[in-house]
Amino acid sequence: MIVVNTALCQDKVIEYVNSFNYEGTTFTFKEKKGIQLMFDASDTSIDLDKAARAIKLGIKEQEWGAVLFYQCTAKK
């Protein structure tokens, strides 16, 4: 599971991560708890830490993500 903590632009983050593909693995929004957005991976055998870093870099490259304060981590 990937967890993105952000108070702002949550809809955009959900849309981005839902369309993100990491080495053939896709992610699906599961639930929201406060500022935590949780996503399930279609393939749990991948390195979730590397996937979380890739998602974090991808969000930062977005026009709306460059100034966004957020945290992206893997939860096992």
Side-chain angles (χ1 to χ4, degrees):
M1 177 180 294
I2 300 291
V3 179
V4 180
N5 296 317
T6 184
L8 302 173
C9 298
Q10 290 184 338
D11 291 337
K12 291 180 180 182
V13 170
I14 291 170
E15 182 181 335
Y16 176 78
V17 178
N18 276 339
S19 65
F20 191 79
N21 187 316
Y22 177 75
E23 296 182 354
T25 300
T26 57
F27 301 89
T28 307
F29 178 67
K30 181 181 178 185
E31 66 179 306
K32 175 186 171 195
K33 288 186 181 178
I35 65 168
Q36 290 185 335
L37 304 174
M38 299 175 203
F39 299 86
D40 283 330
S42 62
D43 179 6
T44 56
S45 67
I46 64 162
D47 186 338
L48 288 175
D49 291 320
K50 287 183 180 179
R53 285 192 293 273
I55 290 170
K56 182 176 182 175
L57 290 174
I59 290 172
K60 186 173 284 239
E61 291 175 353
Q62 302 305 304
E63 179 180 310
W64 48 266
V67 295
L68 188 64
F69 180 75
Y70 63 99
Q71 182 182 37
C72 185
T73 58
K75 183 176 180 181
K76 298 172 184 171

